[in-house]
């Protein structure tokens, strides 16, 4: 144990050039990581994780679409008349420009917002106000007039935007009529139209099932829009899900066809260093802000593409449990040796073992992607590539 490393997991943001459409990401990412290792004096190790943010992958692919592309697909698939647009998240970056395209592709939008908050936790009204008003959000359908009468104007605590006004204004600017209602039962929209675009992310399959069973004529999700190219980008699996505003007239879509990229980087690093690393493309992390109650994950998944070694969940023992229970009568070097032997002898699958209770039972890609998202940030750090070292180490490594 004398030579045991004194540092465990390290997450490094790797400063990168500005990636452009057509760039060879496999070559550039590998070179940048290896240059960083040489410059900063660290070595690449087996099972290091190289993670690339989805935005630079999509940018290199040129996976962009215009508002007109969205409008064209909406008009083709819904017929250009009245469309119910239900359960969108409240976001200028994520949904507003999509709403422009949707409105441009039809005559009327019936916008149905979930309340008191959207799917990822952005509040339209506080639960306290809901309680005071005696409203049952599970069953009650509110008109815009009733919502204003009960709750008035409610600006987002972080952005200062009244999303009710903002979304209504966007639809009208595109020349469409808008009616807004507040409800949490998907079937409520069928009192207004039988053509429905469901905009929820993680609950979309259930919402579609409920609407189809209730007799809706057309039911599509954001993942069904731009699944094939109109004049530019598309995503055959996720459509508009995972998109972000690029300009006032374009969206950057979630990256596509990038399994070859992660395998290419893995091979390049192996050829250059002899080390077998894991590689992933990541987007949003999967964590919730305790202050604003906002769940970060507005992408359909944390990692759409990753190498095989990142499949699964952690298989870890809880050191506190071992120290307090199995070896509560030991201390010092004797305790360290006993815990080390337990780790070395642990089963390959600890599900149900009390000694693993309290460890985090989440997918590796969600855990590591969250770490990467927090490391890279979403602003001007200039580190869209993250190198995570020591994640798969344990106390004995």
């Amino acid at each position: 144990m004398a030579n045991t490393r004194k540092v465990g997991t390290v997450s490094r943001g790797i400063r990168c050039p500005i990636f452009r459409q057509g760039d060879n990401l496999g070559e550039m990412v590998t070179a940048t990581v290896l240059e960083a290792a040489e410059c900063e004096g660290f070595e690449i190790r087996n099972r290091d994780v190289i993670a690339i943010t989805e935005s630079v992958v999509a940018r290199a692919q040129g996976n962009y679409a215009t508002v007109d592309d969205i409008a064209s697909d909406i008009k083709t698939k819904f017929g250009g008349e009245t469309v119910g647009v239900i359960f969108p998240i409240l976001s200028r970056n994520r949904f507003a420009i999509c709403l422009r395209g949707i409105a441009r592709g039809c005559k009327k939008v019936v916008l149905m917002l979930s309340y008191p908050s959207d799917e990822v936790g952005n509040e339209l009204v506080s639960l306290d106000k809901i309680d005071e008003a005696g409203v049952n959000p599970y069953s009650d359908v509110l008109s815009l007039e009733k919502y204003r009468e009960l709750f008035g104007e409610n600006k987002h605590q972080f952005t200062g935007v009244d999303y009710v006004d903002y979304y209504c204004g966007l639809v009208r600017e595109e020349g469409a009529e808008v009616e807004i209602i507040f409800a949490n039962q998907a079937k409520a929209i069928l009192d207004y139209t039988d053509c429905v675009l469901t905009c929820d992310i993680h609950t979309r399959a259930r919402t579609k099932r409920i609407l189809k069973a209730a007799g809706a004529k057309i039911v599509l999700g954001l993942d069904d829009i731009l699944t094939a190219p109109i004049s530019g980008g598309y995503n055959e699996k996720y459509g508009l899900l995972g998109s972000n505003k690029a300009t006032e007239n374009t969206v950057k879509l979630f990256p596509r066809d990038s399994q070859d990229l992660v395998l290419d980087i893995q091979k390049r690093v192996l050829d250059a260093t002899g080390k077998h690393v894991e590689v992933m493309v990541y987007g949003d992390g999967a964590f919730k802000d305790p202050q604003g109650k906002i769940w970060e994950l507005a992408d359909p998944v944390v990692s759409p593409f990753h190498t095989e070694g990142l499949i699964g969940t952690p298989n870890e023992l809880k050191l506190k449990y071992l120290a307090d229970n199995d070896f509560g009568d030991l201390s010092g070097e004797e305790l360290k040796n006993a815990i080390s032997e337990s780790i070395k002898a642990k089963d390959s699958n600890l599900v149900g073992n009390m000694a693993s209770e309290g460890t985090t039972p989440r997918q590796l890609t969600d855990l590591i992607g969250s770490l990467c998202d927090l490391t890279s940030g979403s602003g001007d750090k200039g580190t869209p590539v993250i190198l995570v070292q020591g994640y798969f180490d344990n106390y004995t490594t």
Side-chain angles (χ1 to χ4, degrees):
M1 296 291 288
N3 295 321
T4 299
R5 288 206 319 268
K6 296 299 182 183
V7 175
T9 301
V10 175
S11 178
R12 288 184 172 91
I14 305 298
R15 291 266 175 90
C16 294
I18 303 299
F19 295 107
R20 296 292 188 187
Q21 183 174 343
D23 282 347
N24 186 329
L25 277 189
E27 179 182 313
M28 293 176 69
V29 168
T30 304
T32 302
V33 170
L34 296 181
E35 287 168 9
E38 182 178 358
C39 179
E40 299 294 332
F42 61 85
E43 293 183 359
I44 303 298
R45 304 189 189 110
N46 285 319
R47 298 219 76 187
D48 285 356
V49 180
I50 297 173
I52 309 104
T53 186
E54 58 84 21
S55 63
V56 300
V57 178
R59 188 180 306 137
Q61 291 176 343
N63 203 17
Y64 294 83
T66 67
V67 172
D68 281 337
D69 290 337
I70 298 170
S72 176
D73 211 20
I74 290 290
K75 189 169 185 178
T76 298
K77 290 173 176 173
F78 284 98
E81 297 296 323
T82 298
V83 178
V85 177
I86 73 171
F87 302 153
I89 65 171
L90 307 175
S91 172
R92 294 170 297 175
N93 175 44
R94 290 287 192 171
F95 186 70
I97 197 161
C98 296
L99 182 58
R100 282 194 182 279
I102 294 163
R104 194 175 293 183
C106 57
K107 289 182 179 177
K108 180 178 179 179
V109 170
V110 181
L111 186 62
M112 190 172 94
L113 302 178
S114 56
Y115 74 99
S117 64
D118 69 9
E119 180 183 5
V120 297
N122 294 293
E123 272 191 357
L124 278 174
V125 58
S126 71
L127 278 170
D128 289 333
K129 288 184 177 180
I130 291 284
D131 293 341
E132 289 170 12
V135 169
N136 182 348
Y138 186 77
S139 59
D140 292 351
V141 178
L142 307 179
S143 65
L144 176 59
E145 292 72 25
K146 188 65 176 177
Y147 169 82
R148 291 299 191 200
E149 175 192 329
L150 291 173
F151 308 118
E153 182 183 65
N154 291 277
K155 294 184 177 181
H156 193 283
Q157 64 170 313
F158 295 137
T159 66
V161 173
D162 181 326
Y163 279 95
V164 176
D165 272 348
Y166 179 53
Y167 280 0
C168 284
L170 289 180
V171 175
R172 292 191 182 106
E173 285 172 15
E174 295 301 329
E177 185 184 346
V178 62
E179 182 174 1
I180 190 163
I181 60 173
F182 303 82
N184 292 305
Q185 294 289 340
K187 292 185 291 185
I189 193 65
L190 299 180
D191 290 335
Y192 301 83
T193 177
D194 58 4
C195 297
V196 187
L197 177 68
T198 180
C199 302
D200 45 347
I201 305 160
H202 307 291
T203 53
R204 63 189 185 276
R206 176 175 182 265
T207 302
K208 290 178 186 179
R209 172 176 57 79
I210 289 170
L211 288 168
K212 289 173 182 176
K217 178 182 173 185
I218 301 174
V219 179
L220 297 173
L222 286 179
D223 55 330
D224 298 308
I225 307 301
L226 291 189
T227 52
I230 304 298
S231 68
Y234 66 98
N235 190 300
E236 69 283 356
K237 185 174 183 179
Y238 296 118
L240 280 173
L241 287 181
S243 64
N244 296 83
K245 179 179 179 179
T247 70
E248 293 301 324
N249 194 49
T250 57
V251 291
K252 177 199 65 60
L253 301 174
F254 216 43
R256 62 178 194 269
D257 304 329
S258 297
Q259 191 61 30
D260 287 346
L261 171 64
V262 298
L263 295 174
D264 178 47
I265 294 172
Q266 186 180 57
K267 183 178 185 305
R268 286 175 184 272
V269 174
L270 181 63
D271 291 345
T273 67
K275 304 299 181 181
H276 180 90
V277 300
E278 305 296 345
V279 185
M280 65 187 290
V281 175
Y282 73 95
D284 283 340
F287 49 86
K288 187 172 183 177
D289 165 30
Q291 177 65 34
K293 308 296 189 294
I294 297 170
W295 187 29
E296 173 72 7
L297 188 57
D299 285 328
V301 291
V302 172
S303 177
F305 305 101
H306 47 268
T307 50
E308 189 174 346
L310 296 176
I311 296 172
T313 58
N315 194 58
E316 300 173 348
L317 294 171
K318 194 77 167 179
L319 293 191
K320 291 187 297 183
Y321 183 90
L322 293 175
D324 292 343
N325 290 273
D326 294 37
F327 309 119
D329 57 338
L330 303 180
S331 61
E333 194 69 22
E334 196 177 6
L335 174 60
K336 179 189 290 186
N337 291 336
I339 287 178
S340 297
E341 290 306 312
S342 292
I343 292 172
K344 291 175 182 177
K346 70 183 178 182
D347 295 334
S348 61
N349 184 356
L350 292 170
V351 173
N353 187 323
M354 285 298 290
S356 69
E357 184 182 22
T359 58
T360 309
R362 287 198 281 154
Q363 296 296 315
L364 289 167
T365 49
D366 295 344
L367 292 164
I368 299 171
S370 298
L371 173 62
C372 293
D373 190 23
L374 288 167
T375 303
S376 61
S378 57
D380 56 8
K381 294 184 187 298
T383 56
V385 173
I386 306 298
L387 177 68
V388 178
Q389 296 190 294
Y391 191 85
F392 295 100
D393 288 358
N394 60 44
Y395 188 60
T396 69
T397 306

